[in-house]
């Protein structure tokens, strides 16, 4: 195992080194939060694929393959479909907005009257996403080093917090690109062919497993439908995903680069399910499907390769964790703290977000202001990172908590966000009402049917949609000045200023 240990330690040290290097590029708020909006096709595609494919997609995807066969790919399939839809139909418009958060988009579309409620919902989602990823460190480090659970969480979480705090999105981008390469080599080029070969190939697997394992819908039609509602739609509106769209240097990069990442997700989905199916053929009586990944890696891979594949699993977890952490900190700072602080200090000369630099900000006109903004965002990453680590240690299983966060996100915010992008008659009152009614409905149905039931997201979405339509039609239309500024921003006519102007790489 000495070689495997060396591979893992070298990988972790490399992540810290890349994070330190990224700090040198973070010279403005735009650099720190959205990598200066300068990513080209290769960096954008790689980092987008890295953030959406985390521990659930890798370790969980293999587990679903172990339990359901090739149809276990549907979880990651729906993530890929959501990313493709976002990239092909919405990313260009999102990129042209030149904002930092989903909440700022809502301010632009509906007027500067959006509630802190939307920010709180998005913050809860990103926080629990980061917690889920951080808890996964315990499983991986236990396989590698046999570390105590709490120590493993502190070690893994500490590394992610360190490089994220150093350079913000630049550090996260550079580390995610490295993680994308490691993940691709470890899972697609090594684990997949070795696992299938050891299981006797496709023919050998068919001989040992029931026919259902090769049926495309063995996992269940209702399960696939729920995956689409939660994960495909979640991809359309999550702050962690939008913040990556904001890093693209052009509409074309956001659209085409995101589409490439979406196709990569589909390939990754098949790979994970195939590895899980091969593991079922080799080890048919594991105590839990979640043990499939660790079992196939620990027992079937040679020395050296094992270390690289475990590094790939760490890559999957760390990329999602870092992306969720910086998204959580960005929302906490820009959508909650700044909004509350602004309400407390607002004067008659306040600037409307449609005309302010980067939505509601005063620009980055001086080096002192820039330094203060970067420092402020670093403080929030540290605070959110510490919160994530503490919660991760306190909780043993956050599946239910993550389900609550996703249900609230999609049930409460999907309709106001997509409605704002495609329906000009939608109003601020309609959007806020839809968020509240959808969120309350989700909570009520979860209390009635159970947190893991499918019904909460169904009823929540329906209630949110009907509320948005009815209240918007009954309330006063959005101010034409606000809509005109919104359309100009969507068309790319609103000039970016200062350091936030996009440039090529």
């Amino acid at each position: 195992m000495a070689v495997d240990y060396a591979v893992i330690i070298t990988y972790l040290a490399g992540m810290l080194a890349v994070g330190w290097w990224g700090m040198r590029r973070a010279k403005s708020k735009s650099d720190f939060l959205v990598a200066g909006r300068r990513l080209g096709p290769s960096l954008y595609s790689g980092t987008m694929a890295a953030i959406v494919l985390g521990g659930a997609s890798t370790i969980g995807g293999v587990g679903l393959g172990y339990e359901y066969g090739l149809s276990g790919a549907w979880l990651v399939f729906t993530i890929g479909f959501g990313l493709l839809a976002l990239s092909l139909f919405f990313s260009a418009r999102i990129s042209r907005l030149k904002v930092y958060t989903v909440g700022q988009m809502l301010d632009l579309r509906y007027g500067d009257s959006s509630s802190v409620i939307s920010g709180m919902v998005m913050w809860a989602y990103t926080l629990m996403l980061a917690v889920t990823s951080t808890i996964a460190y315990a499983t991986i480090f236990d396989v590698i080093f046999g570390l105590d659970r709490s120590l493993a969480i502190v070690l893994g979480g500490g590394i992610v917090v360190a490089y994220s705090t150093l350079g913000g999105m630049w550090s996260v981008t550079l580390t995610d690109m490295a993680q994308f390469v490691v993940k691709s080599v470890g899972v697609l080029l090594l684990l997949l062919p070795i696992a299938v070969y050891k299981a006797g190939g496709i023919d050998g697997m068919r001989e040992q497993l029931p026919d259902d394992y090769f049926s495309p819908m063995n996992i269940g039609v209702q399960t696939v439908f729920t995956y689409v509602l939660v994960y495909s739609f979640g991809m359309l509106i999550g702050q962690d995903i939008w913040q990556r769209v904001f890093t693209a240097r052009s509409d074309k990069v956001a659209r085409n680069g995101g589409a490439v990442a979406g196709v990569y997700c589909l390939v990754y989905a098949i790979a994970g399910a195939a590895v899980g199916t091969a593991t079922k053929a080799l080890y048919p009586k594991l105590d839990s499907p979640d043990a499939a990944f660790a079992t196939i890696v620990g027992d079937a891979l040679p020395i050296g390769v094992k270390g690289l594949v475990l590094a790939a699993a760490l890559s999957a977890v760390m990329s999602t964790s870092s992306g969720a952490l910086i998204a959580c900190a960005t929302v906490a700072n820009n959508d909650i703290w700044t909004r509350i602080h602004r309400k407390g200090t607002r004067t008659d000369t306040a600037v409307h977000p449609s005309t302010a630099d980067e939505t509601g900000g005063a620009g980055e006109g001086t080096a002192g202001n820039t330094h203060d903004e970067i420092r402020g965002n670093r403080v929030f990453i540290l605070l959110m990172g510490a919160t994530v680590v503490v919660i991760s240690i306190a909780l043993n299983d956050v599946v239910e908590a993550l389900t609550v966060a996703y249900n609230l996100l999609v049930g409460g915010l999907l309709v106001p966000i997509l409605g704002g992008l495609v329906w000009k008659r939608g109003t601020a009152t309609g959007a806020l009402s839809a968020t509240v009614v959808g969120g309350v409905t989700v909570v009520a149905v979860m209390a009635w049917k159970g947190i893991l039931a499918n019904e909460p997201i169904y009823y929540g979405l329906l209630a949110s949609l009907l509320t948005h339509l009815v209240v918007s039609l009954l309330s006063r239309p959005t101010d034409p000045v606000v809509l005109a500024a919104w359309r100009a921003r969507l068309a790319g006519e609103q000039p970016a200023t200062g350091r936030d102007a996009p440039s090529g790489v």
Side-chain angles (χ1 to χ4, degrees), residues 333-354:
N333 188 11
N334 292 273
D335 283 353
I336 300 176
W337 168 250
T338 299
R339 196 184 301 267
I340 293 173
H341 181 70
R342 188 174 63 190
K343 285 182 179 179
T345 59
R346 180 174 292 172
T347 67
D348 293 337
T349 59
V351 183
H352 187 274
S354 64

Side-chain angles (χ1 to χ4, degrees), residues 49-115:
I51 189 176
V52 300
L53 296 174
S57 301
T58 303
I59 300 172
V62 171
L64 287 173
Y66 184 89
E67 187 171 5
Y68 298 105
L70 297 182
S71 69
W74 275 109
L75 172 65
V76 185
F77 267 154
T78 56
I79 291 173
F81 293 151
L83 184 54
L84 281 169
L86 173 71
S87 302
L88 295 177
F89 301 115
F90 299 106
S91 64
R93 280 178 281 181
I94 293 171
S95 178
R96 287 194 291 265
L97 291 176
K98 296 293 184 288
V99 295
Y100 293 122
T101 70
V102 175
Q104 290 175 340
M105 168 264 171
L106 293 172
D107 275 356
L108 280 172
R109 169 58 183 83
Y110 296 112
D112 190 18
S113 58
S114 296
S115 171

Side-chain angles (χ1 to χ4, degrees), residues 104-252:
Q104 290 175 340
M105 168 264 171
L106 293 172
D107 275 356
L108 280 172
R109 169 58 183 83
Y110 296 112
D112 190 18
S113 58
S114 296
S115 171
V116 175
I117 292 175
S118 63
M120 292 297 295
V121 172
M122 191 64 75
W123 176 79
Y125 157 73
T126 54
L127 179 71
M128 294 315 301
L129 185 62
V131 166
T132 304
S133 302
T134 303
I135 286 179
Y137 295 131
T139 301
I140 298 173
F141 279 112
D142 179 58
V143 173
I144 299 171
F145 302 117
L147 291 180
D148 174 76
R149 179 181 182 276
S150 297
L151 180 59
I153 289 173
V154 171
L155 176 60
I159 291 173
V160 169
V161 172
Y163 72 67
S164 299
T165 303
L166 285 173
M169 186 58 82
W170 265 122
S171 291
V172 171
T173 295
L174 296 173
T175 53
D176 277 2
M177 193 63 197
Q179 289 159 357
F180 169 75
V181 173
V182 172
K183 188 188 308 183
S184 299
V185 173
V187 175
L188 299 183
L189 301 184
L190 293 176
L191 181 59
L192 173 62
I194 291 174
V196 172
Y197 172 77
K198 286 186 173 291
I202 299 298
D203 292 337
M205 291 157 60
R206 283 186 175 277
E207 291 177 1
Q208 301 175 66
L209 298 172
D211 291 340
D212 288 349
Y213 267 69
F214 302 91
S215 168
M217 298 305 296
N218 185 39
I219 198 170
V221 174
Q222 187 177 26
T223 298
V224 173
F225 182 63
T226 303
Y227 282 168
V228 170
L229 289 182
V230 174
Y231 297 109
S232 294
F233 286 163
M235 288 293 107
L236 298 181
I237 59 174
Q239 169 67 25
D240 52 327
I241 310 302
W242 277 43
Q243 199 157 343
R244 294 309 174 98
V245 175
F246 299 151
T247 66
R249 72 183 180 195
S250 68
D251 301 352
K252 184 177 180 181

